[in-house]
Amino acid sequence: MPERDFLSSDDVTEKEQTRLLELAAQLKASPREFCDRLAGRQVALIFEKPSTRTRVSFEVAVTQLGGDAVVLRGDELQLGRGETIADTGAVLAGYVDAIAVRTFAQERLTELADAATVPVINMLSDLEHPCQALADLQTITEERGGLAGQVLAYFGDGNNVAHSLMLSGVKAGIHVRVATPRGYEPQPGIVRRCEEIASSTGGSARVTNSVEEAARGAGILYTDVWASMGQEDEAAARLQTFAGYQIDEKLVDLAEEDVIVMHCLPAHRGQEIAAGVMDGVHSVVFVQAANRLHTQKALLAWLLAG
Ligand code: CP
Ligand code: NVA
């Protein structure tokens, strides 16, 4: 059987996603039980963009499972001098048991995965952030008591985080609403795929330009930065475009009384989220960040140790 990769939230079935979340819950409750699951295994972590959470949580995840992580910056590799991503993948697969990559175009990941004979994990691309979405689902399960039937409203840019959240959310039976300014909607192909998934899971995906429409009665409010890594030149213009899309007290008031507020972080208080909301009673952003560790341990154990 060819090795499994995790390049997209759509690379796992609904059942596999549920199983991964169950495993993550077990790993969180009894971390010691799994401390030799990756004994003698090596994992390369390649970063072509900056990272705090993903880098540290992946490195710690591998270590806590008894394996070894090799952290590599893209500009320190021969990649920075023109070696292809495919050759890099083929070479690394001779040394390590899995390769995790944070990069720009999704095609770089597929090229590397096609050439590598070991599992490849997407640690964020311009298109998706599937590891983040797993931690988001674990957090929603813990904080809201389940996934199916929940109403999640995402505000801001229809970006990588939104794409993975939509795919994995709908797969879990969540009703996902996405409110963006005109021209910043999620990619149509992702929305179509979500509608396809929804037809068998009971979830739904709805895209709107109205923040009120998205927030009304929601149990989960979610946002991300307005300018992603690689869009620094657009940051000033985006401040204007996205001005009405901040999660503020007004939006919280439109949602359910016990709404939770999520952000994948890093956050910019006063831009995509009001400081009072980010640091307020509804915010679960640091639980969410902590859950990156447990869900990634589950993912590594599943991909590498069956
Ligand atoms: N949420 C997230 O992926 O954070 P980092 O960019 O710090 O890894
Ligand atoms: N959309 C953001 C997520 C950061 C974790 C970015 O790509 O920069």
Side-chain angles (χ1 to χ4, degrees), residues 24 44 46 112 114 138 140 166 183 216 218 259:
I46 303 178
L112 184 140
D114 287 348
Q138 180 171 32
I140 295 168
M166 290 174 76
R216 203 158 287 128
V259 65

Side-chain angles (χ1 to χ4, degrees), residues 31 48 53 80 99 103-104 110 115 126 134 144 167 181 223 233 253 274 281 294:
E48 296 193 292
R53 282 144 287 271
I99 305 169
T103 189
F104 294 86
T110 45
D126 291 344
L134 283 179
R144 302 278 309 170
L167 287 164
T223 191
D233 292 353
D253 285 345
V281 292
H294 312 295

Side-chain angles (χ1 to χ4, degrees), residues 53 177 210:
R53 282 144 287 271
R177 304 169 181 171
S210 159

